[in-house]
Amino acid sequence: MSLPLIKLMRNIAASNLREPHLPFKLTLILTYWCQLKCNMCNIWKRRPEGELTAEELKMFFRKNSHFSWVNVSGGEIFLRPDIQEVLESILDESKSLYLLDFPTNGFQTRRIVETVKSLLARKPPRFLVTVSVDGDEKLHDEIRGVEGSFDHAIETFSRLRQLRTRSFRPFLGMTLQPLNVDRVETTLAAIRKRIPHFEKDELHVNLIHESGHYYDNVGTDRPTPEQSLAAMEQVRKLRGSSLHPVAYLESRYQKLARRFLETGKTPLPCHALSSSVFIDSVGQVLPCSIYDRPLGNLRDHDFDLSLLWQETEARQLAKDIRAGSCPQCWTPCEAYQTILANLLPRSRPEAS
């Protein structure tokens, strides 16, 4: 068993028993630039300025090398000309890192594949990439607002799939929204036309969410709870059961999605700002991708997260979040570490 895995297991165990000293998971937004025009997200309308440089990011990870799990996202991270340098810095400086993962729209196939190859040469303990696919060819291109985006996504995934190892796996990710909530099976069929041996557990499905500070999509259309419940149940039946850790998290997420959709409440005490933290592309520190409560900027704190983390305001906000005083969500970016931090039965809320 590797030292990073031991550290992650210790962090997960500790998060079930007490307030973590520092978060073990980081969600880091590297850029808000995006070349697609998705109908459920307005990130692509932004004209970002002042994003953290590769040098600043390297300094941050050198000073905060404790993260076991780093999720980087955008926008589309491969629009950063220095993306390979940034990702390699994360692997080089994060001494406790067990899992690195990121999503991509798959549009820049060659660059994505070459970058992944360079990262694999550094032998990360665990490495996941999710390529977004939201329907068959016609529907996906309609949702994504750019013709040919389905072809690029499938080609990227197919080539990444050829690089699979015990430590690296690519997935396809589908976000349920009104246009595709009843199209899970047709999406699978379209994928299998291009990739005949595509397995159902290679498709991850999640719920659409609103966020003012991140997606900038407050007021966007969402499926009815009944539609989402039907789709999630369909996905659970298609996937079946598995003891693989990723499959367990997926299954648990989907099962608890029912409670979220029925009640509108986060189904477990949320561990945003406890087990995890969200940092945007200019260095602003927030609880998560949904809750617009900035605590400060890394640039004003010498890129040392602990200086912000231990402040009274941050610790009180973490307690308020666990008590349910937040916007309420069940997005995988926050749900997975919350599931891991609520493994003990006594740490779960009573079922409603």
Side-chain angles (χ1 to χ4, degrees):
M1 188 179 294
S2 67
L3 183 58
L5 177 55
I6 292 171
K7 288 182 177 180
L8 174 59
M9 293 174 67
R10 286 176 178 172
N11 285 329
I12 292 171
S15 68
N16 280 264
L17 300 171
R18 56 175 170 78
E19 172 79 5
H21 176 64
L22 285 168
F24 66 80
K25 184 197 173 185
L26 167 67
T27 296
L28 174 65
I29 307 306
L30 292 180
T31 184
Y32 285 114
W33 290 108
C34 188
Q35 71 273 66
L36 301 190
K37 300 178 180 180
C38 304
N39 70 345
M40 69 287 197
C41 169
N42 291 317
I43 286 176
W44 60 273
K45 295 181 180 179
R46 298 187 182 192
R47 294 295 177 265
E49 294 181 354
E51 296 186 332
L52 295 172
T53 66
E55 293 77 13
E56 287 176 320
L57 289 164
K58 187 177 184 69
M59 184 190 308
F60 169 75
F61 282 102
R62 183 175 295 149
K63 291 187 175 186
N64 304 271
S65 62
H66 62 276
F67 291 109
S68 292
W69 179 357
V70 176
N71 164 251
V72 294
S73 191
E76 173 53 40
I77 66 171
F78 286 94
L79 288 178
R80 279 192 67 130
D82 57 2
I83 186 59
Q84 182 169 325
E85 178 186 355
V86 169
L87 294 173
E88 289 178 351
S89 291
I90 294 173
L91 292 179
D92 293 344
E93 301 296 338
S94 302
K95 306 307 180 185
S96 297
L97 186 67
Y98 178 71
L99 172 60
L100 171 68
D101 76 295
F102 58 77
T104 174
N105 59 34
F107 207 80
Q108 297 165 279
T109 300
R110 181 177 178 181
R111 185 157 195 236
I112 295 166
V113 173
E114 289 178 351
T115 301
V116 167
K117 286 181 178 178
S118 78
L119 298 177
L120 289 174
R122 281 174 152 74
K123 300 186 184 305
R126 286 292 183 274
F127 179 24
L128 306 177
V129 175
T130 302
V131 183
S132 299
V133 170
D134 288 319
D136 58 21
E137 181 176 355
K138 181 179 178 181
L139 179 58
H140 175 90
D141 286 3
E142 177 184 351
I143 289 172
R144 295 276 160 173
V146 174
E147 187 176 350
S149 56
F150 180 86
D151 291 338
H152 284 287
I154 294 298
E155 175 65 17
T156 296
F157 173 77
S158 180
R159 291 183 60 183
L160 291 178
R161 202 168 180 258
Q162 296 171 16
L163 304 177
R164 288 182 300 182
T165 66
R166 288 188 63 185
S167 62
F168 170 66
R169 286 198 67 186
F171 295 92
L172 291 177
M174 181 177 185
T175 299
L176 297 178
Q177 58 147 299
L179 290 180
N180 69 7
V181 68
D182 60 349
R183 303 287 289 276
V184 174
E185 288 193 347
T186 58
T187 300
L188 274 171
I191 294 167
R192 285 174 173 153
K193 282 184 179 179
R194 308 289 186 97
I195 307 172
H197 301 293
F198 181 82
E199 300 292 337
K200 53 186 177 294
D201 64 353
E202 295 180 277
L203 178 66
H204 288 185
V205 178
N206 62 276
L207 304 171
I208 189 173
H209 278 77
E210 295 181 7
S211 171
H213 76 85
Y214 181 32
Y215 303 116
D216 191 23
N217 67 342
V218 174
T220 193
D221 290 338
R222 291 189 284 181
T224 66
E226 293 76 17
Q227 289 174 318
S228 296
L229 281 169
M232 280 294 184
E233 188 59 31
Q234 182 183 36
V235 171
R236 289 188 67 203
K237 289 179 179 178
L238 285 170
R239 290 175 63 91
S241 60
S242 170
L243 296 178
H244 191 280
V246 174
Y248 165 77
L249 284 174
E250 280 280 301
S251 176
R252 188 84 176 122
Y253 169 79
Q254 292 159 6
K255 183 176 181 180
L256 289 168
R258 170 173 290 276
R259 194 187 305 179
F260 170 72
L261 290 166
E262 290 174 344
T263 66
K265 302 291 184 182
T266 304
L268 297 173
C270 182
H271 269 245
L273 217 59
S274 294
S275 296
S276 61
V277 67
F278 178 99
I279 298 175
D280 73 10
S281 66
V282 299
Q284 192 132 264
V285 178
L286 299 103
C288 66
S289 60
I290 306 298
Y291 198 4
D292 191 3
R293 280 289 302 272
L295 294 170
N297 194 289
L298 293 175
R299 286 171 168 150
D300 299 326
H301 292 79
D302 198 30
F303 293 93
D304 187 346
L305 181 63
S306 66
L307 298 179
L308 271 167
W309 196 258
Q310 300 303 328
E311 289 183 357
T312 302
E313 179 187 358
R315 302 316 341 121
Q316 183 57 54
L317 184 56
K319 293 178 182 177
D320 292 343
I321 290 170
R322 284 200 304 279
S325 296
C326 64
Q328 304 296 294
C329 75
W330 196 235
T331 170
C333 293
E334 319 308 330
Y336 288 170
Q337 62 269 23
T338 288
I339 290 170
L340 293 171
N342 285 278
L343 296 176
L344 297 179
R346 65 186 180 84
S347 66
R348 298 178 191 149
E350 293 298 322
S352 57

